[in-house]
Amino acid sequence: MHKRLTVFSAAATALLLSLGITTQAEAGMYRYTDEEGRVVISNTIPQPATKRGYDILNSNGRVVEVIPPAPTDEEIAAREAEKQRQEKLAIQREKDTRLLKRFSHPDQAIKAMHRKLGELQGLIQLKRGNISVISSQLDSEQSRAANMERTGQKIPDATLEKIRRLESQIRDIEREISWQAQEIESLKQTYEKDIKRLEEVTGETRTLSLEPANPSE
């Protein structure tokens, strides 16, 4: 009985040792180059060596996976620059798509620009006409107030208030004209940029002038 147990124990021990060896072998080995350029095969790998890249080997010594070297600072910067370039290209493609949905030829954009700028210029002319009307009213009230002052009469508060109101209206309209003039310039720059891009994207050259025709000509 004791002999059978000894034989069993020896067999069990051999099996466990065999399993242990197999488990360690299946855990994999590493092949890397050390700091002196020598190829090393080991079941461990130092941290500095991982940055240089290494191979993972199976129990038969065959390569099962290749781990590339860690990228250098220059490579990381180049990848980031390329990523940003691709993002800019994607944004530009989206802008081009929207632009081509609006216009298929640069001349179409020029006509749209002339039409829009004409509308804004028309509004400015209308506001200047309003200023002329209000200025006439203001001149009349100021003249009446001056006459009353020369004759020693007290200028009514209603007249003074009307003068202030008319002056305020003129200032407000002048500010609106100034804002619209800035809007016209900004809009013109945007259209001219779009027209130039349309020429690049479509390969077509504009045939119309960027400046609107003078109606008096």
Side-chain angles (χ1 to χ4, degrees), residues 41 57 95 126-127 163 171 205 209-210:
I41 297 178
L57 311 177
K95 289 181 177 179
L126 181 62
K127 291 179 186 297
I163 291 173
R171 287 193 299 270
T205 303
S209 172
L210 294 177

Side-chain angles (χ1 to χ4, degrees), residues 4 28 51 59 66 69 71 86 91 117 121 133 137 140 151 157 159 167 169 176 188 191 195 216:
R4 287 199 300 272
K51 296 182 180 180
S59 58
V66 177
Q86 293 296 333
I91 293 173
L117 296 182
Q121 289 288 1
V133 172
Q137 296 176 2
S140 177
T151 59
D157 291 341
T159 299
E167 290 174 339
Q169 288 176 355
E176 291 176 6
K188 185 177 179 182
Y191 267 105
I195 292 164
S216 62

Side-chain angles (χ1 to χ4, degrees), residues 25 174 201 213:
E174 286 176 341
V201 174

